[in-house]
Amino acid sequence: MVALLLPLVLAATCAFAFLNGFRDVSNSVAAAVRTRALTPTAAVLAAAFFTFTGTMLSTSLGTYLVSAVELNVPDAALGLGILLAALVAAGGWGLFCWWRGVPTSSTHAVISALAGASGASALLGGDGVRGAATMLLLGVALPLLVTPLLAYGVSYLLVLPATWLLRHSTSGDGNRIGRAGQAISACAVSLGHGLQDGQRTGALITLALVTAHATAPGEIPFWAQLTGAAFLAAGTLGGGWRIAHTLAYRLVTIDPLRGMTAQTVSASMLFAGAMLLHLPLSTTQAVTGAIVGSGANQRFETVMWRNVLAVVTYWIAAPVVCAVLAGVLFLSLHPLLV
């Protein structure tokens, strides 16, 4: 059974990475394309390149995730069943949200799904992922509360010094400076996205191999890191524009200067989370919170709060839905695992 499950888990991990890039490219390029700082083609190509580069540059977050989880996942078929159910559930939720045009967190989806599959295993009297409650608290609940609020607040405040510095510039000069800065900051967001989500893919591949006793516990193999980078970048090249439309047109109206501010704040948060705190932050929530925060600090109210509330509702529902879906999938798989 292990010989059958391991290729399925690895394939599901790669598919999840592709879907992640396909959906999350919107986070990097939506604002830049909306303000014409970058053309859609140039934005997607830059996003794919910097996402790949970010994944290959750092292993700290992935190593942290492996060390935190690998000793807590059951061995052999049971552990692989938990991973497979979690990946399929998180991927299904991601596809549904893409179809609805809603930006949601892939990181929160997969962590919640792992906890749900683990709970189903424990319900049947088997071993689950030990420390699942702590994983939900530190990996989902706390970032869900902190990331968008912090991004909103910092972006709102930074609009003030940004506009003050350009107080003597004409609107045309201000827009040109904002677009130039936005082109750079869009690449920085893609780099931060690679640092965050790309390392998670390598970590999940390594975790599957360790669970199947196909490799010894330790750091992420180079080929696993390269595989994660390749599938994430390939998904980015696919460029799902449904979510980009939501971020660029349905939440708030911003100018290039505020777009540059939002992207700079979100990129800085992703860098800090990956390289300093070693915590999985949601690219989606950082970018969305920053865009809404910078757009809220304008002379005329432009935030479409009804749409923002709808997005936040999906964020709150994601942990519950993914946990339940993964639990049901694991219960369906369990007869084949014993």
Side-chain angles (χ1 to χ4, degrees):
M1 181 54 69
V2 172
L4 175 63
L5 283 174
L6 180 58
L8 290 176
V9 172
L10 295 178
T13 303
C14 293
F16 185 74
F18 181 90
L19 176 63
N20 187 9
F22 181 78
R23 293 175 61 253
D24 285 2
V25 63
S26 307
N27 300 319
S28 305
V29 305
V33 172
R34 171 69 176 84
T35 60
R36 300 191 301 277
L38 292 171
T39 64
T41 300
V44 168
L45 289 175
F49 173 79
F50 282 100
T51 296
F52 182 90
T53 302
T55 303
M56 299 304 297
L57 278 179
S58 173
T59 60
S60 57
L61 180 61
T63 302
Y64 172 81
L65 291 175
V66 171
S67 62
V69 179
E70 70 179 9
L71 299 179
N72 297 326
V73 176
D75 289 340
L78 187 62
L80 291 174
I82 290 175
L83 291 175
L84 182 60
L87 287 165
V88 173
W93 172 253
L95 277 174
F96 172 75
C97 291
W98 166 80
W99 176 68
R100 297 288 297 173
V102 179
T104 56
S105 171
S106 300
T107 301
H108 292 180
V110 75
I111 293 176
S112 302
L114 278 170
S118 171
S121 177
L123 184 66
L124 295 176
D127 293 329
V129 178
R130 293 184 297 276
T134 302
M135 185 168 60
L136 277 175
L137 175 63
L138 298 180
V140 178
L142 188 60
L144 177 58
L145 291 173
V146 174
T147 303
L149 292 177
L150 182 61
Y152 178 95
V154 174
S155 294
Y156 186 95
L157 293 175
L158 283 183
V159 167
L160 299 174
T163 53
W164 183 84
L165 288 172
L166 296 178
R167 66 192 185 281
H168 298 307
S169 301
T170 64
S171 60
D173 289 340
N175 286 337
R176 280 192 292 272
I177 293 172
R179 289 191 181 100
Q182 204 173 1
I184 297 172
S185 59
C187 296
V189 172
S190 298
L191 187 65
H193 179 233
L195 290 172
Q196 285 280 345
D197 289 16
Q199 293 308 307
R200 184 191 58 210
T201 304
L204 287 170
I205 291 175
T206 305
L207 181 60
L209 295 173
V210 172
T211 303
H213 302 290
T215 188
E219 295 187 355
I220 299 175
F222 176 78
W223 69 266
Q225 184 179 355
L226 181 62
T227 300
F231 276 92
L232 194 62
T236 301
L237 286 174
W241 292 102
R242 283 177 176 264
I243 296 174
H245 180 76
T246 297
L247 289 171
Y249 294 95
R250 296 183 61 197
L251 298 183
V252 64
T253 301
I254 57 175
D255 55 25
L257 179 65
R258 286 169 174 80
M260 177 187 68
T261 302
Q263 290 179 320
T264 301
V265 169
S266 52
S268 300
M269 290 180 63
L270 294 175
F271 292 155
M275 302 174 67
L276 299 178
L277 303 176
H278 305 307
L279 290 177
L281 299 183
S282 168
T283 307
T284 297
Q285 291 173 4
V287 172
T288 304
I291 287 176
V292 175
S294 63
N297 192 350
Q298 300 186 79
R299 180 175 301 177
F300 302 103
E301 180 64 65
T302 62
V303 179
M304 304 170 196
W305 289 109
R306 182 178 178 179
N307 293 337
V308 173
L309 181 60
V311 170
V312 172
T313 302
Y314 274 84
W315 289 355
I316 296 172
V320 178
V321 173
C322 291
V324 171
L325 282 176
V328 171
L329 285 173
F330 181 82
L331 293 176
S332 301
L333 284 173
H334 187 264
L336 303 176
L337 305 177
V338 296

